[in-house]
Amino acid sequence: MTKRKIIAVSIPAAIIAAILLSVCIIAIVANSKNDRTEPVEQLSYWQSMIKDDALLKKMVIPGAHDAGTKGLPYFAATQDRDIADLLACGTRYLDLRVSHADGKYLIYHGPSKGVTLDSVLDAIKTFISANPTETVILDFQHFDGEAQQGTIARVEEKLDGLLLTNDTDKTDVEFIDELTVGRSRGKCLIVWGRETEEILAKKYVFKRNNDDGTRTDSVIQSYYKTSYNTKSSKQYINTVLPQYIEKYKEIDSGLFVLQGQLTDGMYVRGPKF
């Protein structure tokens, strides 16, 4: 190989190596610190301090985007606490995404799969049983593979007796709009993100809106636009946040989930960055 060819090959190789090294350093630094703060005991039962006649939709409820992803690779782990810890820290809304592969139902994010759905549901049942003043919202908005039927079957089995049901003549939206904290204590509110009539017909399953907000009769409004949530914090707070809030105010029904997480648009640095 001539000297010129060696130089021609070496320079691109050096550039690629430098880029890869930079990516590795960024990933390590951005994801090096985990939250190890011990939860305050009162956070396990903070809803007990809310009056029974307060409306659920009027409360500000902490939530976890892509819950159950602790332990996944840095580019997929949006949480550094497991489900039991999240609940102990006061989280009452869990975004759960389920994959079905090789007969197993697993929590997933992107290409990565983690803990079993059963272990998540067991942790929720244990928490609710120990803290009957609390209400936990489970938002099943994404499924990988043929996971829907198996997921709802696991929910029925694991959370039997703990599911909030609409046994009234009201529509689901009317029911949620009038739902009080007292009525929902010790229960799980199951919200579904797919237009699957058989599942949505169940009295304990409530329909969520899609990211664009185009579904009707939804009990959760949750807007998300990738180009918005890849902006800087300053841009998000000043321009995107008001848009999401105004969009909900136009409907003014059901619960409002603020998709406040910002995403690494380059898919390099990972969610924690």
Side-chain angles (χ1 to χ4, degrees):
M1 183 180 292
T2 66
K3 185 177 181 180
R4 180 174 294 179
K5 288 184 178 179
I6 292 174
I7 294 174
V9 171
S10 299
I11 291 176
I15 292 173
I16 292 172
I19 292 173
L20 291 175
L21 179 60
S22 299
V23 168
C24 290
I25 292 173
I26 290 172
I28 291 170
V29 172
N31 298 279
S32 60
K33 293 184 178 180
N34 288 333
D35 178 13
R36 297 184 177 86
T37 308
E38 286 296 322
V40 178
E41 180 185 354
Q42 287 84 351
L43 293 178
S44 288
Y45 53 85
W46 67 265
Q47 288 178 333
S48 67
M49 305 171 203
I50 308 296
K51 293 181 178 180
D52 279 348
D53 61 355
L55 293 179
L56 189 72
K57 68 179 290 182
K58 295 295 184 181
M59 284 201 300
V60 177
I61 300 175
H65 174 77
D66 275 304
T69 55
K70 176 186 177 182
L72 292 185
Y74 83 92
F75 55 81
T78 63
Q79 305 291 337
D80 53 22
R81 290 182 182 269
D82 59 23
I83 296 297
D85 252 3
L86 286 171
L87 293 170
C89 288
T91 303
R92 297 293 179 270
Y93 164 91
L94 301 173
D95 161 26
L96 298 170
R97 308 180 182 206
V98 186
S99 170
H100 179 237
D102 300 325
K104 296 180 180 179
Y105 293 90
L106 306 171
I107 302 299
Y108 81 101
H109 185 201
S112 302
K113 297 175 177 61
V115 298
T116 64
L117 174 62
D118 279 2
S119 68
V120 167
L121 297 176
D122 285 340
I124 294 167
K125 181 176 182 178
T126 298
F127 176 80
I128 287 287
S129 299
N131 299 278
T133 61
E134 308 304 289
T135 303
V136 179
I137 302 169
L138 306 184
D139 188 358
F140 293 96
Q141 56 174 302
H142 293 286
F143 300 92
D144 181 37
E146 299 299 319
Q148 284 196 80
Q149 295 296 337
T151 296
I152 203 62
R154 305 310 297 154
V155 168
E156 285 184 359
E157 178 182 339
K158 293 286 186 179
L159 301 179
D160 182 42
L162 301 176
L163 300 174
L164 188 65
T165 60
N166 180 7
D167 296 316
T168 72
D169 294 329
K170 300 181 178 71
T171 66
D172 282 351
V173 176
E174 292 171 338
F175 177 78
I176 293 299
D177 277 347
E178 299 173 11
L179 182 62
T180 63
V181 173
R183 169 72 176 82
S184 59
R185 293 194 192 280
K187 300 292 184 180
C188 292
L189 172 60
I190 305 299
V191 186
W192 211 255
R194 293 287 181 88
E195 296 273 12
T196 308
E197 292 185 8
E198 178 186 351
I199 295 177
L200 291 175
K202 297 178 183 292
K203 290 185 177 181
Y204 66 85
V205 177
F206 298 81
K207 181 167 67 171
R208 85 185 307 278
N209 217 327
N210 55 17
D211 290 345
D212 295 326
T214 58
R215 289 190 186 127
T216 58
D217 304 320
S218 300
V219 305
I220 275 187
Q221 317 303 330
S222 175
Y223 311 117
Y224 181 87
K225 191 172 181 179
T226 301
S227 61
Y228 286 176
N229 286 65
T230 53
K231 296 182 181 299
S232 68
S233 297
K234 183 177 181 180
Q235 289 176 309
Y236 178 84
I237 292 169
N238 291 336
T239 63
V240 178
L241 184 58
Q243 291 184 53
Y244 284 164
I245 292 174
E246 284 302 317
K247 197 167 183 177
Y248 172 68
K249 288 170 70 176
E250 291 173 4
I251 298 175
D252 194 28
S253 65
L255 307 176
F256 173 48
V257 176
L258 175 60
Q259 297 285 355
Q261 75 283 350
L262 297 182
T263 302
D264 168 24
M266 295 186 294
Y267 302 98
V268 171
R269 298 170 296 182
K272 285 188 183 179
F273 189 89

